[in-house]
Structures are given as structure tokens and as C-alpha cells.
Amino acid sequence: MSIFYDRQQELERYEFMMGEARGRLAVTLDALTDALILVGQHGVYCASTRNPAVPALDLQAVLANINGAKELVSSVMEKLRLEKEAAE
């Protein structure tokens, strides 16, 4: 299923409030946050055998990459906001 179908109402709301590009980025951040939550929950049950207080190494890599993606999306949203404010 397409994200455009799955999150249609959310996309419409954010695109209306923020414009198409920033609205889609906002929904992307929400989707990444949802993925982080799911991986975090999975990490509770798949703890590292070396250190039970941390998730398994593969989950740590997934978490790091999703967090990195969120940082990149956030930085683009901020840049778009600053450009819009400068144009006004």
C-alpha cells in the first residue's frame, strides 16, 4: 500500500498547514517516528547477549539510521521555513 493512501488525511492536513513540501516532510517524520517506536519495542525483546541493557547490534544500526534520517528531514524543513520567512 502507498503512503499516499495510508496517510492521506494526515498528508492533506499537513500540506494545507505547511505547504506541499514541508507537509510531506512532516508526515515523513511521523512515519519515521512510528518506525522508531516499533523498533524500540522489538529491542526490548531482542536484547544483546553481551549487554542485556541495550538492543541487539542490528537494531542499534536500524535505530541510528532512522534517527539520522529524521535529523536530515528536520534540517530540510528548517531550511525551507527560513527561506520562506526570508522571502516574505
Side-chain angles (χ1 to χ4, degrees), residues 7 28-44 55 59-71:
R7 295 185 182 243
T28 302
L29 280 177
D30 287 348
L32 289 168
T33 300
D34 292 347
L36 277 173
I37 291 167
L38 292 171
V39 171
Q41 288 175 344
H42 187 67
V44 170
L59 293 179
Q60 289 179 36
V62 170
L63 289 168
N65 281 299
I66 294 174
N67 278 318
K70 284 185 69 168
E71 286 181 47

Side-chain angles (χ1 to χ4, degrees), residues 10 14 18 21-31 73 77:
E10 193 177 355
Y14 281 119
M18 303 175 168
R22 288 182 63 221
R24 289 183 180 185
L25 289 170
V27 173
T28 302
L29 280 177
D30 287 348
V73 170
M77 287 183 71

Side-chain angles (χ1 to χ4, degrees), residues 3-13:
I3 187 105
F4 292 100
Y5 180 78
D6 290 343
R7 295 185 182 243
Q8 181 180 1
Q9 291 179 342
E10 193 177 355
L11 276 165
E12 289 173 359
R13 186 175 69 244

Side-chain angles (χ1 to χ4, degrees), residues 37-54:
I37 291 167
L38 292 171
V39 171
Q41 288 175 344
H42 187 67
V44 170
Y45 301 106
C46 295
S48 170
T49 54
R50 290 183 226 164
N51 185 356
V54 297

